Amino acid sequence: MTGPQPDGESRVRPPAPVHAVPEDVDAAARRSQETLSRESRSDLSDGQWHRLHPLTPLFRGGLFLVVVIGIVLANMRDRLVAIFLPWLIPDLPDGVSSGDPVDWVIEEGLLALATVVVLAALVVIVGGFYLSWRFHTFRITDDDVEVRQGILFRSQRRAPLDRVQGVNLTRPLVARLAGLAKLEVVGAGTDANVKLEYLTTANAERVRADILRLASGRRLAERVEEARSPSRASAVSAAVSEGITGLIAGAEGPDEEPESVVHIPTGRLVASQVLGGGTLWLLLLIIAMIVGGVVGSPWVLIGIVPAVLGIGAYGVSQIVKSLRYSIAPTRDGLRVTFGLFTTVTEIIPPGRVHAVEVRQSIFWRPFGWWTIKINRLTGKSLSDTSTDQFTTVLPVGLRGDVERVLRLLLPDVPEGEWGVAFEHGVLGPRDADPFVNTPPRGWWVRPLSWRRNGYLITPDALLVRRGWIWRSLALYPFARLQSVALHQGPLDRAARLATLRPHTVAGPVYGNLAAVDREGADALFAQVAERACEASRADRSHRWAVAAPAVATPAEPRTAHADARGRADEGDGRIGGGS
């Protein structure tokens, strides 16, 4: 270590002896090794085509085999009972057939033919599984993630890394027991996701880290510890052995899980579902069932019972999905984990959050519970009903939980403004309210919430506050705002009112602020359009690890995205680009 000395000279301080602090030296060596391991390139991300885990066809098409085996066992139950429990089978009179297909095959002399057919079917199934695995390959280059699959009908999908919206790691229950996981690269478009199913959990974590590192703009380290490549047979044998070991040992998931900033008690999670909006409908349906049973109307029961079962099953599934919830900052974005049986871990990179909403129903108000949802591109098809789980970043939480999650989503809000933002934006209005609210002449449009309805423009986002029965605060980052619209009907025109509607990607956050003063709305329209254009020009969050360009002119604003990108280069682990 060098430094200025009193006499103006620079001297070199000799390092401390190694034997003096062996614990510190060992810790430093371990940290250095861990850093090298993180920065080194995975052998699956070398730009070459690789195959997935050999057990992949079993988990992708194993359900078909289970159904076939179940049908065979159901048809042969009498034969199995006769073999293992013969005293339970009564003696049949002569000339009466037992109906067992095996007896019929033996009686007709078709045993050899049946054996050949069964063996041929097994060969076809095993061969189909092998070909499916052999032709299912993937590669990760510096710019794309590509997957090729199919035997007769080939398909190839490609996900550009600079448009990656997130990387999800899913561990279904059975696959988790075998130590396998499914990796899903979320693309920017409908049905644009690229799936790698299945990999070992360790390989899936490494591949995900490589994808996020490349998507951030960093390059994978060129120095890799080279090991002698094993033969294909030994590699397959080792993979199968690892899968069997995982089945016995019960491999769970990633070894290093960042500590969650929010912990949700199970009792609160269950109570939040019981006090949810579906409970009211469930009570009404139960009352209708009772009334229908009393008056003797069976058609009422036939129509309502399935609905009651559906609502109950949905509530239970929401509880199961929200168990083991955790949220924590990482180097490449926000890490959210949820699910009891099927565990899903997703990382949302910076700049992929298009809108944030803090919401509270009237049933939760006595307990001070809130939920947080976001709008983001999920890359799933329109027919996929599981997208809601990917837009809820806080199922239920107290005020402290909400503030911690918002700090992760919006890290650039000054420390002194959080209390004011929560008091006025989430709980408001309060005295000295900074929001522009609905004027008194517009009370008839929103008779319950007109005092609360309002908007606020900050340097980086548009805040929309509304609702009384369901209170909410929505935040729309200017860099992600698609457009803003003003709507005015004949009654609004007569009262000099308008409806404000910010436009983002589809999601649970839907902005529609009615009864806004028309003159203020015109000024808001121009100001939001100007700031959105400025934020879009300055935004570089699609490559969040690349340093932001220097400020061209003094008039060009420095947005929160640029500050967040600077911190991303320093590796402070906070998400930026979404505020």
Side-chain angles (χ1 to χ4, degrees), residues 49-352:
W49 291 101
H50 296 275
R51 294 188 177 91
L52 299 168
H53 196 279
L55 295 179
T56 292
L58 180 62
F59 287 99
R60 295 187 65 192
L63 182 61
F64 171 76
L65 281 182
V66 171
V67 173
V68 171
I69 293 174
I71 294 174
V72 172
L73 292 179
N75 292 328
M76 296 184 61
R77 61 182 182 275
D78 294 338
R79 167 67 58 179
L80 296 176
V81 172
I83 294 175
F84 297 101
L85 303 172
W87 58 86
L88 297 180
I89 301 298
D91 296 332
L92 297 177
D94 296 337
V96 178
S97 174
S98 63
D100 193 335
V102 177
D103 290 338
W104 180 83
V105 169
I106 296 176
E107 292 173 359
E108 297 294 330
L110 301 176
L111 183 60
L113 179 61
T115 303
V116 172
V117 171
V118 171
L119 293 177
L122 291 176
V123 170
V124 170
I125 292 175
V126 173
F129 276 14
Y130 172 76
L131 292 177
S132 174
W133 169 77
R134 182 175 178 84
F135 285 98
H136 194 170
T137 58
F138 73 95
R139 71 174 178 181
I140 300 173
T141 66
D142 290 342
D143 302 309
D144 305 284
V145 178
E146 299 180 62
V147 175
R148 299 186 305 191
Q149 60 180 332
I151 302 175
L152 298 179
F153 301 96
R154 302 281 290 165
S155 67
Q156 181 169 346
R157 309 198 69 173
R158 176 181 300 174
L161 290 176
D162 61 345
R163 291 296 179 263
V164 169
Q165 303 299 310
V167 183
N168 304 331
L169 193 149
T170 305
R171 296 185 294 274
L173 178 61
V174 178
R176 192 167 75 223
L177 295 176
L180 303 182
K182 175 175 65 176
L183 202 64
E184 186 173 9
V185 182
V186 181
T190 302
D191 199 20
N193 292 0
V194 173
K195 299 179 181 179
L196 306 180
E197 49 181 352
Y198 287 83
L199 299 168
T200 62
T201 302
N203 285 338
E205 287 283 356
R206 293 165 57 202
V207 170
R208 177 169 64 176
D210 289 345
I211 293 174
L212 289 171
R213 191 178 305 143
L214 288 169
S216 70
R218 298 188 296 267
R219 291 305 182 203
L220 300 181
E222 297 297 332
R223 295 184 59 186
V224 185
E225 294 183 4
E226 296 292 344
R228 187 177 61 180
S229 299
S231 64
R232 182 174 302 176
S234 61
V236 173
S237 175
V240 174
S241 175
E242 182 180 356
I244 296 175
T245 303
L247 282 172
I248 299 174
E252 173 58 23
D255 296 330
E256 297 181 3
E257 182 79 15
E259 184 178 358
S260 176
V261 301
V262 174
H263 300 279
I264 304 177
T266 305
R268 185 200 304 170
L269 188 62
V270 175
S272 66
Q273 289 295 325
V274 173
L275 297 176
T279 303
L280 180 60
W281 291 105
L282 186 61
L283 293 177
L284 294 177
L285 291 175
I286 292 176
I287 293 174
M289 287 177 56
I290 296 174
V291 173
V294 171
V295 301
S297 300
W299 62 269
V300 176
L301 299 178
I302 295 174
I304 293 179
V305 170
V308 172
L309 296 178
I311 294 177
Y314 176 78
V316 173
S317 66
Q318 290 298 107
I319 294 174
V320 172
K321 289 180 180 179
S322 299
L323 290 174
R324 299 181 63 182
Y325 162 87
S326 67
I327 180 171
T330 67
R331 180 179 183 179
D332 293 304
L334 193 63
R335 180 168 181 152
V336 183
T337 302
F338 54 84
L340 178 62
F341 301 117
T342 298
T343 304
V344 179
T345 302
E346 59 173 335
I347 291 185
I348 307 174
R352 271 57 176 180

Side-chain angles (χ1 to χ4, degrees), residues 369-452:
W369 296 341
W370 302 83
T371 183
I372 299 181
K373 295 182 178 293
I374 61 174
N375 281 4
R376 55 175 293 221
L377 292 171
T378 60
K380 293 182 175 291
S381 62
L382 298 177
S383 60
D384 196 332
T385 59
S386 63
T387 57
D388 179 69
Q389 199 70 27
F390 292 90
T391 57
T392 301
V393 294
L394 179 63
V396 56
L398 302 175
R399 170 172 177 169
D401 302 328
V402 172
E403 290 189 3
R404 283 190 289 271
V405 173
L406 288 179
R407 288 173 191 268
L408 296 179
L409 295 171
L410 310 172
D412 302 293
V413 176
E415 184 68 25
E417 295 183 7
W418 277 111
V420 177
F422 197 94
E423 290 292 334
H424 290 282
V426 178
L427 300 177
R430 296 287 193 268
D431 294 336
D433 185 17
F435 281 73
V436 179
N437 299 319
T438 297
R441 66 177 182 273
W443 70 269
W444 54 273
V445 180
R446 291 291 185 268
L448 296 179
S449 61
W450 70 274
R451 296 181 183 274
R452 176 176 166 79

Side-chain angles (χ1 to χ4, degrees), residues 29-46 206 210 213 220-230:
R30 286 195 299 268
R31 287 194 299 269
S32 177
Q33 183 65 27
E34 292 173 358
T35 302
L36 178 61
S37 177
R38 286 195 303 267
E39 294 298 335
S40 63
R41 184 178 61 209
S42 168
D43 54 355
L44 298 178
S45 306
D46 55 2
R206 293 165 57 202
D210 289 345
R213 191 178 305 143
L220 300 181
E222 297 297 332
R223 295 184 59 186
V224 185
E225 294 183 4
E226 296 292 344
R228 187 177 61 180
S229 299

